[in-house]
């Protein structure tokens, strides 16, 4: 007749534990086993020796709780028990930040090894196999409990980090970034890169967490630091680590939905990123007016559309960066550019209107390019220059009332 299965300790019908002698020995040995486990950790785990006394004492309590939980589990193996609460509930939540999952696994393994080495001394004669098999099952349960504790901690940190990141991104986009936002960004791992720009576009449908993770993967590949989030229907990325905003936008463009993607100008730091964000937001709003706009496009390339759409910063930028430098360079440049644009970009026509040689017009237009960075012979640049001239004249009150 086959022997009954004894892989789990069973309670007799009378209520007396079937392995009462072993259970009694286990209870008496729990203190010494915990002390041996702590001594083994101190001997074999360098990270444990390097920890402050407070954390070492908490780890000692966890080891003691683990052995006590095994004793209780051996007493009632079929009773529903929350091992994670029994073992790790003795330690503060901060302990999961103080020691890594790998270190916790080493701690649990060391404790289990100490208990396993003491089986022959602790088990009553004939119970060695039962106790060993019970310890194997318990080791599996404690491994799952360890994973659960760290998974819950990671989820909590992830949810908190996501809320914190959303606050930073919203502060930058709304113009409310301050030292508090910088501090929150630092807590998220933002290392204050020298060059920062903001990239805006339409967020794709579906899970925003997947979109954010896709942005992070692209940023890691491009060696960029990012703070990102989905705000309404917009996907916002604050990127640091490159002084080329169009290259940044191209490296991160994959997760964006179809439609325009606009990169704001590069600024010095996170506090100044509001200017980049506002330029990108204005460019995204005005981008529909330029049907052939590239994707991605710089916010500064959309200055005329932004100005027409009512963006005061774009109007000011066109006046200060184009009209004023031309004005300071002499009236001849302004007059020549104005006539050239009004004569359908004809050198000969402008020369006739100005009573000068076409080569003179050609020279002055080259000077316009040198002064402003925009070439009158390029259709797109000519449009930008024309808008700048109109806004400059309006600013000077040159038009009749």
């Amino acid at each position: 007749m086959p022997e009954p299965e004894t892989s789990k300790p069973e309670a007799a019908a009378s209520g007396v534990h079937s392995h009462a002698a072993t259970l009694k020995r286990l209870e008496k040995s729990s203190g010494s086993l915990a002390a041996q486990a702590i001594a083994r950790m101190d001997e074999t785990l360098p990270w444990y020796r390097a920890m402050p006394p407070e954390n070492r004492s908490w780890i000692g309590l966890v080891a003691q709780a683990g052995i006590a939980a095994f004793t209780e589990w051996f007493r009632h193996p079929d009773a529903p028990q929350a091992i994670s609460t029994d073992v790790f509930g003795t330690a503060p939540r901060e302990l999961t930040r103080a020691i890594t999952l790998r270190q916790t696994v080493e701690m649990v393994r060391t404790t289990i090894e100490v208990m396993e080495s003491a089986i022959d001394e602790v088990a009553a004669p004939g119970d060695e196999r039962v106790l060993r098999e019970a310890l194997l099952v318990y080791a599996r349960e404690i491994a799952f409990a360890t994973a659960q504790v760290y998974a819950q901690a990671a989820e909590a940190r992830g949810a908190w980090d996501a809320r914190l990141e959303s606050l930073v991104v919203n502060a930058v986009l709304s113009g409310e970034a301050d030292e508090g936002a910088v501090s929150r960004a630092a807590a998220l791992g933002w290392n204050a890169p020298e060059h920062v720009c903001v990239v805006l576009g339409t967020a794709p449908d579906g899970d925003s967490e997947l979109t954010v993770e896709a942005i992070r993967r692209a940023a890691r590949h491009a060696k960029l630091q990012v703070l990102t989030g989905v705000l309404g229907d917009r996907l916002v990325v604050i990127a640091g680590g490159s002084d080329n905003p169009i290259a940044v936008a191209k490296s991160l463009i994959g997760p964006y939905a179809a439609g325009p993607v606009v990169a704001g100008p590069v600024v010095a730091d996170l506090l100044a990123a509001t200017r980049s964000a506002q330029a990108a937001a204005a460019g995204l709003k005005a981008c529909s007016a330029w049907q052939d706009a590239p994707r991605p496009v710089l916010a500064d390339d959309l200055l005329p559309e932004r100005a027409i759409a009512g963006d005061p910063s774009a109007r000011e930028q066109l006046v200060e960066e184009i009209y004023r430098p031309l004005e300071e360079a002499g009236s001849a440049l302004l007059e020549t550019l104005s006539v050239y644009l009004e004569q359908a970009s004809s050198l000969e026509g402008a020369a006739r209107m100005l009573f000068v040689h076409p080569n003179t017009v050609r020279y002055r237009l080259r000077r316009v390019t040198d002064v402003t960075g925009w070439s009158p012979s390029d259709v797109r640049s000519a449009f930008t220059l024309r808008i700048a001239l109109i806004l400059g004249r309006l600013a000077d009150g040159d038009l009749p009332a």
Side-chain angles (χ1 to χ4, degrees), residues 58 83 92 111 145 175 177 202 222 246 289 312 315 336 341 345 384 386 389 397:
W58 281 119
I83 292 179
T111 305
T202 304
I246 202 68
R315 293 184 175 188
T336 300
L341 294 176
S345 301
T384 303
R386 183 183 289 272
L389 290 182

Side-chain angles (χ1 to χ4, degrees), residues 158-397:
W160 172 251
D161 288 351
R163 288 193 293 270
L164 205 61
E165 188 169 15
S166 180
L167 287 174
V168 175
V169 171
N170 187 64
V172 169
L173 203 61
S174 62
E176 298 174 357
D178 54 15
E179 291 298 334
V182 173
S183 177
R184 287 189 285 272
L188 293 167
W190 181 263
N191 294 327
E194 293 182 357
H195 307 290
V196 179
C197 70
V198 177
V199 182
L200 279 180
T202 304
D205 296 331
D207 191 343
S208 60
E209 292 183 6
L210 296 178
T211 301
V212 167
E213 184 55 36
I215 288 289
R216 296 196 193 287
R217 286 196 300 271
R220 285 193 294 269
H221 182 73
K223 295 180 173 55
L224 297 170
Q225 293 186 51
V226 294
L227 297 168
T228 183
V230 176
L231 302 181
D233 62 347
R234 291 187 295 183
L235 175 55
V236 185
V237 180
I238 304 169
S242 172
D243 59 357
N244 187 338
I246 202 68
V248 169
K250 286 180 178 179
S251 65
L252 302 177
I253 200 170
Y256 284 89
V261 174
V262 182
V266 171
V267 294
D269 52 34
L270 190 63
L271 285 177
T274 289
R275 181 166 64 86
S276 182
Q278 291 175 344
L284 191 63
K285 177 182 176 182
C287 200
S288 59
W290 184 11
Q291 294 186 347
D292 295 328
R295 185 179 188 269
V297 62
L298 292 174
D300 283 355
D301 288 343
L302 288 158
L303 283 174
E305 287 81 8
R306 288 166 52 193
I308 294 172
D311 180 11
S313 64
R315 293 184 175 188
E316 181 180 359
Q317 189 172 345
L318 285 170
V319 172
E320 296 301 323
E321 294 183 3
I322 295 179
Y323 185 81
R324 296 302 178 204
L326 288 175
E327 190 177 46
E328 293 171 2
S331 59
L333 291 188
L334 271 177
E335 182 184 20
T336 300
L337 176 61
S338 177
V339 172
Y340 174 77
L341 294 176
E342 290 171 0
Q343 293 299 314
S345 301
S346 168
L347 287 173
E348 292 74 13
R352 287 194 298 270
M353 291 289 294
L354 294 169
F355 302 103
V356 296
H357 194 277
N359 285 341
T360 302
V361 175
R362 186 178 289 107
Y363 168 76
R364 290 176 181 176
L365 294 180
R366 281 200 300 268
R367 288 278 298 131
V368 169
T369 302
D370 293 339
V371 170
T372 67
W374 299 85
S375 172
S377 61
D378 177 77
V379 175
R380 177 69 190 174
S381 296
F383 173 62
T384 303
L385 290 166
R386 183 183 289 272
I387 297 297
L389 290 182
I390 293 171
L391 293 173
R393 291 166 183 161
L394 287 172
D396 285 347

